[in-house]
Amino acid sequence: MNRLFTRFMQRKANGQDRSLFWQWLWRLDISEQETALNETERLQRQQRIWGNILLATDPAIALQKSRGGKRAIAVAAVLLGLLITGGIWMMRQTSEKQIVQNHTYTTDGKSVKRLILPDGTGVTLNIYSSLEYDAGYNKAERRVTLQGEGYFTVYKDSLRPFIVQTDELETRALGTAFNVEARKSEGQIQVALTEGKVAVTSVTEPARKSLLTPGEFLRYDRSTRQMSTTSFATDVTAWTNGGLSFNGIPLTDALDRLAVRYQLKIDYRQKQLANKTVTASFGKTSWQNVLSNLLFAHHLSYTVKDSVIIVR
């Protein structure tokens, strides 16, 4: 069982492994251990165990700093211990009731967040972004709702498609890696594919669908509801390592993202920057370097007055 559970955490378990593990797990019967407890103690123990299981198994695992396989195996041991020491009894008591519970993860303006979803899919959330999924995740399908920006490394499962839903698009994949930008403050949604294949569909018009292959980039205009596909030349994942990436977005949106990323106040004239776009990516660097490069391409400059950056 140790070897089997290790394969789970290393994403090497096949369908037979999963079936064997759950068959073994559900055959456990430790309810006799509860007989020595009085009613109050039993209820308290049930609540504590169930709370721990929900906290540790159902939600995604947040990864602050990766420590490789040893960390994953340590987490696996803790989860397995929780299940064996009482989780099965509680699961059986609640198996006839459907527990409706949404899991939501958000980021602030300081740092990105890395998550491992219950099926093993990896997610990196950009600042001021959120990801949500409900109790039906990983049953018939794996559906998440994204606001903001996220990069997904999807665990391959041909029986359960992985779907990222934004307000106007659905991106469907089986096993792949892609980036989705869906900020409500911006006039477009963008999907960039780095590995595998995805199908992007309009929520309001399901018949409208685009298939992407690695290196392709889809742009959806919120106002016209038009989709266009092209190749991308920038590092669309630069932001996951502290950088920035702009793929054909309006210069005004790029300046707004820069202001959010570095907590700046940037003043510009909307009309002066109209019809100017930006395609560029940056690694970890200063805001001065990013801003200078963005403006240089459009023959613009900036000054700083009373902590406000003025673009002219």
Side-chain angles (χ1 to χ4, degrees):
M1 292 310 300
N2 285 339
R3 289 194 297 270
L4 178 59
F5 205 80
T6 298
R7 288 201 295 275
F8 265 84
M9 298 305 295
Q10 293 177 343
R11 304 183 187 182
K12 296 179 180 178
N14 56 30
Q16 185 177 2
D17 289 335
R18 290 192 291 270
S19 177
L20 176 63
F21 176 76
W22 286 110
Q23 287 178 37
W24 172 83
L25 203 56
W26 283 104
R27 285 174 184 167
L28 289 177
D29 187 352
I30 60 170
S31 57
E32 293 181 359
Q33 297 180 10
E34 301 286 340
T35 57
L37 303 177
N38 61 42
E39 183 65 11
T40 300
E41 292 173 331
R42 184 177 63 82
L43 290 175
Q44 289 176 345
R45 181 175 178 181
Q46 290 174 16
Q47 292 172 356
R48 183 175 65 256
I49 291 172
W50 185 240
N52 285 339
I53 290 172
L54 286 179
L55 200 62
T57 61
D58 270 354
I61 302 171
L63 301 180
Q64 300 300 327
K65 293 183 179 179
S66 176
R67 297 182 182 274
K70 291 183 178 180
R71 178 178 176 82
I73 294 172
V75 172
V78 172
L79 301 187
L80 186 58
L82 284 171
L83 289 171
I84 293 176
T85 57
I88 301 305
W89 193 93
M90 283 300 298
M91 287 181 185
R92 288 179 176 176
Q93 300 306 307
T94 58
S95 61
E96 296 181 358
K97 296 181 180 180
Q98 182 180 5
I99 299 176
V100 179
Q101 183 175 10
N102 289 347
H103 303 290
T104 303
Y105 299 88
T106 60
T107 56
D108 55 22
K110 297 180 180 179
S111 61
V112 303
K113 178 180 288 187
R114 290 176 171 82
L115 307 171
I116 298 294
L117 300 183
D119 65 314
T121 291
V123 183
T124 305
L125 280 181
N126 207 343
I127 59 175
Y128 294 119
S129 300
S130 68
L131 184 81
E132 180 179 344
Y133 64 90
D134 62 26
Y137 183 88
N138 206 30
K139 292 181 180 179
E141 62 181 17
R142 298 172 289 167
R143 180 180 294 271
V144 299
T145 300
L146 172 72
Q147 290 186 15
E149 184 171 12
Y151 182 72
F152 301 85
T153 305
V154 181
Y155 183 85
K156 189 173 183 179
D157 186 341
S158 60
L159 300 179
R160 301 172 182 85
F162 183 85
I163 303 167
V164 177
Q165 181 170 335
T166 62
D167 53 344
E168 297 186 46
L169 293 181
E170 283 188 1
T171 302
R172 180 181 294 254
L174 294 176
T176 184
F178 57 95
N179 194 77
V180 178
E181 301 176 49
R183 297 173 175 84
K184 287 191 173 182
S185 61
E186 298 182 0
Q188 57 188 8
I189 301 174
Q190 299 183 345
V191 180
L193 182 65
T194 57
E195 296 178 23
K197 292 182 179 181
V198 297
V200 184
T201 307
S202 168
V203 172
T204 56
E205 302 175 71
R208 297 182 59 201
K209 181 184 296 186
S210 291
L211 299 177
L212 301 183
T213 55
E216 287 190 325
F217 179 80
L218 179 139
R219 180 180 292 108
Y220 174 85
D221 189 295
R222 294 182 191 271
S223 60
T224 64
R225 296 186 176 180
Q226 296 298 309
M227 295 183 186
S228 60
T229 304
T230 185
S231 299
F232 60 86
T234 63
D235 181 3
V236 297
T237 66
W239 64 268
T240 65
N241 294 308
L244 287 165
S245 182
F246 310 113
N247 290 280
I249 67 173
L251 177 57
T252 53
D253 286 349
L255 294 178
D256 291 343
R257 290 191 194 182
L258 183 65
V260 170
R261 171 68 175 80
Y262 290 97
Q263 299 182 358
L264 306 171
K265 292 182 180 180
I266 301 180
D267 178 69
Y268 55 82
R269 296 174 184 172
Q270 191 81 30
K271 290 184 179 180
Q272 184 183 20
L273 305 188
N275 302 319
K276 298 182 185 298
T277 61
V278 174
T279 298
S281 59
F282 302 87
K284 267 189 175 182
T285 186
S286 66
W287 67 262
Q288 292 92 337
N289 182 44
V290 177
L291 183 57
S292 295
N293 279 276
L294 294 181
L295 299 181
F296 177 80
H298 296 286
H299 309 290
L300 298 169
S301 60
Y302 73 91
T303 58
V304 180
K305 183 178 180 180
D306 297 329
S307 300
V308 177
I309 300 168
I310 302 171
V311 176
R312 295 290 184 267

